[in-house]
Amino acid sequence: MTSAPLSALPFALIATDLDGTLLRAGDTVSARSHTALARARAAGAQHIIVTGRPVPQVRHVLDGLGYTGLAVCGQGAQVYDAACGRLLHSVCMDRGLAEVALGKIEAEIGEVYVAVDQEGVDAEMLIGPGYRMPHPHLPTVRVRRRADLWSAPINKVLLQHPELDDDELTRVARGVVGDLVNVTMAGEHTVELQPPGIDKASGLARAADVLGLAASATIAFGDMPNDVPMFAWAAYGVAMADAHRELVAVADEVTLSNEEDGIAVVLERLFR
């Protein structure tokens, strides 16, 4: 198939979240979604995966997809070149700032359970006392004391509360430390603290610049509040059928769920 000029494409850049969006249960991508993305690429569009997972927790998915493009990982903190297996860009979170933010949050709502994603292509996710891993199939290392979480550079902090739900924990954390760090909800039991100014939009903008593509040529797919900045940056945002209400409120379109190939439904319409 002959690639169309970029100006003739409905969108030159397709940005997809993974969990709850492109991925089905078991970290799988359907044959239909594979085909729809392949057709869009054959027409000349680029595909970028934009995920909250850090590189070590997403590499097996990229390998399984045969993915060789750029991936925005760690909630926008990392831009990863899957073809050569290296980070093009990465932002560390100041560990002192993280401890200050946690102290302020706990002064407001009591003890929170904490985990961190360490920095680097082969880094580990460290889980502190009480923290429940929402994706038990992903590799983690449990530590005995919170102080052990700060043993090496990190790119984000993950929070859980024994009583508050995700929406309430996010609301409280933003109210207490939103001027110090970026607070986002990325999924069930996944409220995160990141360096200020780091989110999916900042990471996607950096990756798109590497490809020479613009926000005005981008369609984005997602399902959770951490995708809101990406939707604000892109020209067109598509929420999955069971997306969080905050994302649905800013979406241009709502498609079917990830289990029903919602991304493929839209791409088949756009790239006939």
Side-chain angles (χ1 to χ4, degrees), residues 189-223:
H189 306 308
T190 312
V191 176
E192 301 181 356
L193 309 181
Q194 293 175 272
I198 298 299
D199 55 28
K200 284 193 174 185
S202 67
L204 179 55
R206 184 175 292 272
D209 186 61
V210 172
L211 299 175
L213 297 174
S216 59
T218 302
I219 183 171
F221 294 85
D223 73 312

Side-chain angles (χ1 to χ4, degrees), residues 20-136:
T21 303
L22 179 61
L23 295 183
R24 290 183 165 193
D27 281 3
T28 60
V29 177
S30 72
R32 183 179 179 185
S33 292
H34 265 295
T35 300
L37 285 165
R39 180 182 300 158
R41 289 193 301 268
Q46 298 270 9
H47 174 215
I48 290 184
I49 285 172
V50 187
T51 177
R53 297 193 201 186
V55 171
Q57 294 188 353
V58 78
R59 217 165 19 185
H60 68 287
V61 176
L62 303 181
D63 292 344
L65 287 171
Y67 186 85
T68 57
L70 300 182
V72 177
C73 304
Q75 220 66 270
Q78 301 171 319
V79 177
Y80 176 68
D81 185 337
C84 60
R86 67 183 182 95
L87 285 166
L88 301 184
H89 177 75
S90 192
V91 178
C92 289
M93 183 168 192
D94 184 277
R95 286 168 278 178
L97 176 63
E99 289 191 277
V100 168
L102 287 173
K104 288 179 175 291
I105 292 170
E106 290 187 320
E108 186 75 16
I109 58 173
E111 183 183 15
V112 293
Y113 305 141
V114 183
V116 300
D117 284 328
Q118 292 184 323
E119 172 60 21
V121 170
D122 298 308
E124 296 176 317
M125 180 179 185
L126 304 184
I127 293 180
Y131 190 90
R132 306 178 309 281
M133 180 59 182
H135 301 288

